[in-house]
Amino acid sequence: MRRPTLRTRGASSPGRRRVAAGLGCLLSALVIAVVPLPEGAGQARAATTESSAVTKSGSRGPYEDFSGLEVTVHQTRGLRGQAVRVTWTGGAPQPLGTKYNFLQFMQCWGDDAQAGPDREQCEFGGETAGGLPGSSRQAHPALDALEQDHATDPNGLPFVPFRPVEGPQTTSRNDSTYFTNGDTNSIAWAPHDGNGGGDVAFEVKSSLESPHLGCGARTTSAGRPRPCWLVVVPRGSHEPDGTVGGNNTLQTSALSRSNWNQRIVFRLDFEPVTDNCDPDKPERGIMGSELGTDAITSWQSALCRTGSHRFTFTQASEQHARDIVTAPSDSSVGLALTQEPVRPVAGGAQVVHAPVAVSGLTIGFVWMYDQQTQAGFQQLPLREVKLNQRLLAKVLTQSYPSSLVPPAEPIPQHLAGNPRSLAVDPEFLRLNPGLEALAANERNAPLGLAVPSENSDSARRLWEYVLADRDAREFIEGKADPSGMKVNPAYRDGVVSDALDYFPKTDIAPTTVQCNGDPGHTLDRTGQDVVPYVTDMHEGAVKIRRGDIGTAYECSAGQNVAKMSPLGRPPLTEQRAFGIVDNASAVRYQLGAAALPNADGEYVKPTTESLLKAVAAMPESEAAGIKETDFARMTDGAYPLTAVVYAAASLDQAEDARRDYAEVMRYAAGEGQAQGTARGELPHGYAPLPTALRRQAQQAADRLERGAPDAPGPPDAQAPGPGGGPDTGSGGA
């Protein structure tokens, strides 16, 4: 179950912003899309297991032979809102310049365990943009003699309606009542590669993401979730009537009866979406770091089963959570998730810190690019990317013109001489050799880096990492790189510092845009329209997976109303996006991860091994029981953007509250460190806590349960640590 949590949101302003506290219930998860998977994934990036992988073959049709096609869905059980890997072999290679020889994917509901779903039960038909073949729900009885039982819309046009679990069926092929181009998980166009195979990540959605599919919510009389389905429709070059698709593309939908008859069906078994926690139980509040969100929301149901309270979680800035913990009340949140220590106010109660999770920040990406061949352009996935601190400084300071203006517009004068995008930056190409095809087209790169609008310790950690490098620091201060590229002048004069806990967008110079070419309708556009903020890192991961970060730089006018129109979600073969995400979300949505340099100059990606090596290298901070990041010590395979998440609580709380929060710490350090996809387990993307950190968490829990001492006691029980809090152990890795 994804994020059954209370969350905090704040407004943003172009230059400097702060997040204000507010509570709202978020019971639905965000979703994912598809793209070829990165190679060389380590344990911390292995989002699925192969224990429920299923392989099925195609069959011979009237005009196409799919009998050599083998499709494997690499996880079919224990599912939630996530990505699953789908691979295939044995298809006919896609001829360049055509839209032949491809697969179409859709998720469906349906209760018949033998027959699978009907076509009316499948989410498909939202991908109408971009001229994708067979991407609508339109029926073509003239091309398909078997197409007899379709519906007709009010204009008499034939279509296949979508019938949801509850509610009326759709009334036209473009009815967006239940899903749209922006949020559907269907894939209308997944072409075979040159070997007749492919490798994509397909979004599966529980009822939290798509109530109209009901996956994980509908149950049998025995109380078990009913099955859902992944349907794969193979396509060749022929229409159902035997004709070859005109204009090198196919017209008929995957739902057309003859095409549907060639389907390959995989049963999907979802975990229950309800946590079975008694809603009448009183609540205990937890607040803080997004790096702990996936872990704490996985543990909630297990904690509820054994405790007297149910635990709610509010994702918020760590500083806000720390402020609340230092001034507890009977009704306030009593446990903070934080990366930096809680420092008690003068004369205030002591605070204990229990390490509960090891995670990190990831530069996650989905990156397709065009390569010219003798036969035409071929779309290829970029699987490996290296980024150094100066390149990060460039994208964070809007120093590439592509982050401010659309590709067709001139480069702004204040960025004259800078490469338009990362794809043509000589420094990037030196660091990533062999990408001549990428450099041939400056549009082969994402427009800009998607960054969260939240205030966070994570933002400060990233700025500290960037500024720890002399070349990056000098670039931000105004020194040109070896090819002459300079920082955007809007970031000069000390705008950037390692004290920042957010990502400023300082270049807010407006550009006046005519709507539909009409000078009577204009709007001002800024870089925030080209590369907007994402709400948080989880939302960023979802948008990156879709290849759509919300860019809206084209102005349109209708009924005398002018507005910026979103570009929308591009086809699979044209997705290019990257951004700052938490590693758990990057793994969950199967994003590529950029390799970053550590103190050895070694480029490292986040894996279980590299995260734990970083923890082992972290020295103790002045605050007892808290490790701090020293980038100079990140050597020997350590991933530099690793972070330890701590659960912090004041000793000045009621006895029953201290007891309940101590149980959270104990569970996190015990059963909660068993990694897996089931509720109550540690999600993939985290590294299990080292033994010493588990011991420290147990000690912190014991100390919290005992509470503040009434009188001076033995030094080992209540001696304050160097940071003014209780000494809860060394916390060594």
Side-chain angles (χ1 to χ4, degrees):
M1 183 174 177
R2 171 66 188 172
R3 301 184 181 228
T5 171
L6 297 175
R7 306 179 68 184
T8 304
R9 291 289 178 261
S12 64
S13 60
R16 190 173 182 87
R17 50 163 304 284
R18 285 291 179 264
V19 175
L23 302 183
C25 186
L26 180 69
L27 294 177
S28 63
L30 296 173
V31 297
I32 54 181
V34 291
V35 84
L37 300 184
E39 295 176 341
Q43 288 185 44
R45 303 196 57 73
T48 64
T49 67
E50 297 290 321
S51 61
S52 62
V54 174
T55 299
K56 292 189 176 184
S57 299
S59 60
R60 182 185 295 273
Y63 307 106
E64 306 283 357
D65 184 5
F66 301 119
S67 58
L69 179 68
E70 288 193 345
V71 180
T72 300
V73 179
H74 291 254
Q75 184 187 3
T76 59
R77 295 195 300 270
L79 298 169
R80 54 178 179 163
Q82 62 175 91
V84 297
R85 188 184 186 194
V86 182
T87 59
W88 65 96
T89 60
Q94 176 219 349
L96 293 179
T98 73
K99 286 187 170 64
Y100 299 153
N101 300 339
F102 57 97
L103 300 185
Q104 298 183 288
F105 298 84
M106 63 197 79
Q107 185 178 337
C108 314
W109 68 277
D111 298 333
D112 191 326
Q114 299 301 317
D118 298 329
R119 60 180 182 165
E120 293 86 0
Q121 296 171 306
C122 295
E123 179 172 318
F124 188 81
E127 291 186 282
T128 56
L132 299 178
S135 60
S136 79
R137 302 188 74 93
Q138 182 176 357
H140 289 272
L143 295 174
D144 188 351
L146 299 182
E147 185 53 65
Q148 301 295 327
D149 58 346
H150 52 262
T152 55
D153 69 11
N155 296 318
L157 296 176
F159 75 104
V160 179
F162 172 70
R163 176 162 47 90
V165 171
E166 294 182 356
Q169 69 182 29
T170 54
T171 58
S172 75
R173 62 177 178 169
N174 296 322
D175 189 331
S176 59
T177 300
Y178 302 107
F179 51 86
T180 68
N181 173 56
D183 60 21
T184 184
N185 63 349
S186 66
I187 306 174
W189 167 241
H192 305 330
D193 62 24
N195 297 316
D199 186 343
V200 302
F202 180 77
E203 167 198 359
V204 293
K205 301 193 290 186
S206 75
S207 66
L208 296 178
E209 296 84 42
S210 289
H212 51 271
L213 293 175
C215 301
R218 299 178 305 113
T219 58
T220 65
S221 58
R224 297 189 59 82
R226 294 182 180 273
C228 279
W229 309 88
L230 171 58
V231 173
V232 181
V233 178
R235 307 297 297 274
S237 59
H238 293 83
E239 297 288 12
D241 64 354
T243 59
V244 176
N247 297 321
N248 290 326
T249 191
L250 296 178
Q251 248 186 337
T252 54
S253 169
L255 301 179
S256 190
R257 180 60 67 181
S258 293
N259 299 329
W260 176 256
N261 288 347
Q262 297 295 123
R263 68 193 181 277
I264 307 171
V265 180
F266 297 85
R267 174 173 171 149
L268 302 177
D269 289 310
F270 281 76
E271 291 290 308
V273 297
T274 56
D275 61 9
N276 296 320
C277 189
D278 183 354
D280 293 329
K281 277 189 175 183
E283 294 184 354
R284 296 281 188 211
I286 305 172
M287 175 183 286
S289 178
E290 183 174 8
L291 289 190
T293 298
D294 269 26
I296 199 70
T297 53
S298 174
W299 300 334
Q300 281 174 316
S301 59
L303 289 166
C304 179
R305 284 197 302 270
T306 59
S308 59
H309 285 65
R310 59 185 297 133
F311 292 91
T312 61
F313 177 65
T314 304
Q315 183 179 296
S317 77
E318 290 95 337
Q319 185 57 56
H320 181 57
R322 289 191 289 266
D323 290 343
I324 289 180
V325 165
T326 57
S329 69
D330 292 341
S331 60
S332 71
V333 168
L335 192 70
L337 297 188
T338 180
Q339 298 174 54
E340 298 178 2
V342 177
R343 301 190 181 277
V345 296
Q350 295 177 349
V351 175
V352 294
H353 296 86
V356 294
V358 174
S359 186
L361 304 180
T362 300
I363 310 301
F365 65 89
V366 169
W367 198 332
M368 300 293 290
Y369 68 99
D370 298 332
Q371 177 171 279
Q372 178 73 53
T373 69
Q374 290 183 345
F377 280 104
Q378 183 177 15
Q379 287 78 38
L380 299 173
L382 186 59
R383 301 184 185 276
E384 302 289 337
V385 173
K386 294 180 180 177
L387 297 173
N388 61 27
Q389 289 100 318
R390 184 161 57 193
L391 289 170
L392 289 174
K394 292 175 180 180
V395 293
L396 287 169
T397 58
Q398 301 175 282
S399 294
Y400 292 112
S402 64
S403 67
L404 297 175
V405 296
E409 293 188 11
I411 291 176
Q413 184 59 39
H414 64 287
L415 296 183
N418 283 3
R420 180 179 282 271
S421 73
L422 186 66
V424 292
D425 185 341
E427 181 172 19
F428 175 78
L429 295 171
R430 284 194 301 271
L431 193 59
N432 297 273
L435 294 178
E436 292 78 10
L438 188 73
N441 186 348
E442 60 190 11
R443 301 188 187 191
N444 265 333
L447 293 175
L449 191 72
V451 298
S453 60
E454 289 187 327
N455 299 82
S456 67
D457 293 351
S458 295
R460 182 156 38 240
R461 185 177 301 271
L462 185 57
W463 282 121
E464 289 171 350
Y465 172 66
V466 169
L467 295 174
D469 177 73
R470 185 181 64 182
D471 290 340
R473 186 174 63 254
E474 290 180 346
F475 175 82
I476 291 174
E477 291 170 350
K479 181 179 178 180
D481 79 350
S483 64
M485 180 175 179
K486 293 185 178 180
V487 70
N488 186 328
Y491 287 82
R492 296 282 298 275
D493 302 325
V495 170
V496 173
S497 76
D498 58 9
L500 286 177
D501 69 345
Y502 68 105
F503 299 104
K505 289 183 178 290
T506 307
D507 191 339
I508 56 173
T511 300
T512 300
V513 182
Q514 292 183 3
C515 303
N516 304 333
D518 180 2
H521 291 90
T522 62
L523 284 178
D524 284 344
R525 181 192 65 219
T526 72
Q528 287 207 75
D529 297 305
V530 180
V531 183
Y533 279 114
V534 294
T535 301
D536 58 18
M537 293 185 287
H538 171 74
E539 182 187 71
V542 172
K543 290 188 172 183
I544 292 164
R545 168 50 64 201
R546 294 175 177 170
D548 176 15
I549 61 171
T551 296
Y553 56 61
E554 295 179 346
C555 180
S556 63
Q559 298 179 339
N560 291 321
V561 177
K563 63 179 181 179
M564 288 293 178
S565 299
L567 290 186
R569 180 174 167 184
L572 173 68
T573 54
E574 298 176 14
Q575 294 178 354
R576 304 177 186 100
F578 71 154
I580 299 168
V581 300
D582 61 294
N583 198 51
S585 293
V587 169
R588 183 165 179 168
Y589 305 132
Q590 300 187 13
L591 304 181
L596 304 177
N598 62 18
D600 286 337
E602 177 186 8
Y603 282 80
V604 184
K605 294 198 290 187
T607 65
T608 295
E609 181 181 14
S610 66
L611 293 173
L612 291 179
K613 284 186 174 182
V615 174
M618 292 178 180
E620 297 295 324
S621 72
E622 293 182 357
I626 296 286
K627 286 179 170 292
E628 66 180 6
T629 300
D630 183 345
F631 297 112
R633 298 193 186 194
M634 295 290 119
T635 61
D636 190 28
Y639 181 67
L641 292 182
T642 301
V644 178
V645 180
Y646 297 87
S650 169
L651 300 185
D652 188 18
Q653 299 187 71
E655 180 180 358
D656 59 341
R658 287 187 283 103
R659 182 175 59 250
D660 289 340
Y661 288 129
E663 286 307 307
V664 174
M665 296 176 178
R666 293 189 180 105
Y667 185 87
E671 295 177 62
Q673 292 302 309
Q675 201 151 42
T677 58
R679 192 176 296 114
E681 295 180 326
L682 183 71
H684 294 284
Y686 293 95
L689 283 175
T691 300
L693 293 190
R694 295 190 193 195
R695 184 170 58 249
Q696 178 186 338
Q698 295 283 0
Q699 293 171 347
D702 294 344
R703 183 71 183 89
L704 176 61
E705 189 164 3
R706 289 197 303 269
D710 294 327
D716 62 340
Q718 58 195 32
D727 189 349
T728 57
S730 66

